[in-house]
Amino acid sequence: MLGPWDALEPPPRRVLVAGTTGVGKTTAAGRIGRALGVPHTEIDGLFHGPDWGPRASFEDDVERYTAGPAWVTEWQYSQVRALLTERADTLVWLDLPVPIAMWRLVRRTVRRRVGRTELWNGNVEPSMWTIFTNRDHIIRWGIRTRRKMRAMVPALEHAAPHLRIVRLQSQTEIDAFVERLRPPGTAE
């Protein structure tokens, strides 16, 4: 497993960003895409249809998107994880401490709810009260799955030997990694 300062030759072209809910996968994926000059598509936008239902075209959309020569997306959704893993050349694992990940998740959820931020296909965060009534409320989901990646990602070293795995354990490491991806003389 690589760290933030290890060389990546050749430069990544098909990148997955893994991590627990709320850790900052989408933000990091967007930054990585800009640094590399490759498109980033938020996989949640491909998955979620109106009223939070899954889109029927999800798997086909992921198939088409990842058929391209260069892309960045998040490593989510069990039904497409194998395809994503097969097609990627690099997986960036955001393995931040649980308290930081949970703080980011709560802060993001509250900010989106208070601002009624439209997410994907007209969806907005549900009432904060649903944390008590919905087992799958994003915060409860985050608590329940907070250590999931610590079993899944290391197993890829053997299951997907073609995949370079970069483990980042702090915001400082994320920032340093993204900066190293930039061509000399460019800024974010």
Side-chain angles (χ1 to χ4, degrees):
M1 201 166 295
L2 303 170
W5 294 279
D6 291 316
L8 294 177
E9 287 299 327
R13 300 304 294 158
R14 295 176 314 280
V15 182
L16 297 171
V17 179
T20 59
T21 301
V23 79
K25 293 181 299 294
T26 300
T27 300
R31 290 180 66 201
I32 290 167
R34 288 188 300 279
L36 294 172
V38 304
H40 164 240
T41 293
E42 190 174 350
I43 201 163
D44 281 330
L46 298 178
F47 181 80
H48 293 291
D51 298 319
W52 294 104
R55 295 175 63 244
S57 63
F58 172 62
E59 291 179 52
D60 292 337
D61 291 343
V62 172
E63 170 82 33
R64 273 189 299 281
Y65 177 66
T66 60
W71 45 264
V72 179
T73 196
E74 300 80 19
W75 191 58
Q76 298 179 163
Y77 301 105
S78 59
Q79 61 268 49
V80 295
R81 271 202 180 110
L83 173 69
L84 292 168
T85 301
E86 175 186 312
R87 291 187 171 176
D89 59 46
T90 305
L91 182 137
V92 177
W93 176 22
L94 306 184
D95 187 24
L96 302 182
V98 170
I100 292 172
M102 292 308 301
W103 166 245
R104 287 180 174 188
L105 174 60
V106 170
R107 184 180 65 195
R108 177 194 81 185
T109 303
V110 170
R111 184 181 68 243
R112 286 177 173 176
R113 177 60 196 164
V114 169
R116 305 279 302 150
T117 305
E118 184 176 325
L119 300 171
W120 313 280
N121 302 305
N123 295 306
V124 295
E125 293 284 357
S127 164
M128 291 305 293
W129 292 112
T130 61
I131 194 171
F132 302 110
T133 60
N134 181 354
R135 181 179 190 278
D136 289 328
H137 184 281
I138 192 67
I139 293 173
R140 289 176 70 177
W141 173 263
I143 292 167
R144 195 168 60 248
T145 62
R146 67 190 177 277
R147 290 187 174 84
K148 184 177 177 182
M149 289 294 132
R150 291 196 177 154
M152 292 176 68
V153 174
L156 289 175
E157 286 188 295
H158 301 290
H162 72 283
L163 192 63
R164 295 179 292 194
I165 301 172
V166 179
R167 183 180 186 191
L168 305 176
Q169 299 181 77
S170 69
Q171 188 62 50
T172 300
E173 289 186 2
I174 294 168
D175 294 341
F177 176 76
V178 171
E179 190 56 39
R180 288 188 65 240
L181 294 175
R182 268 178 221 306
T186 63
E188 188 167 359

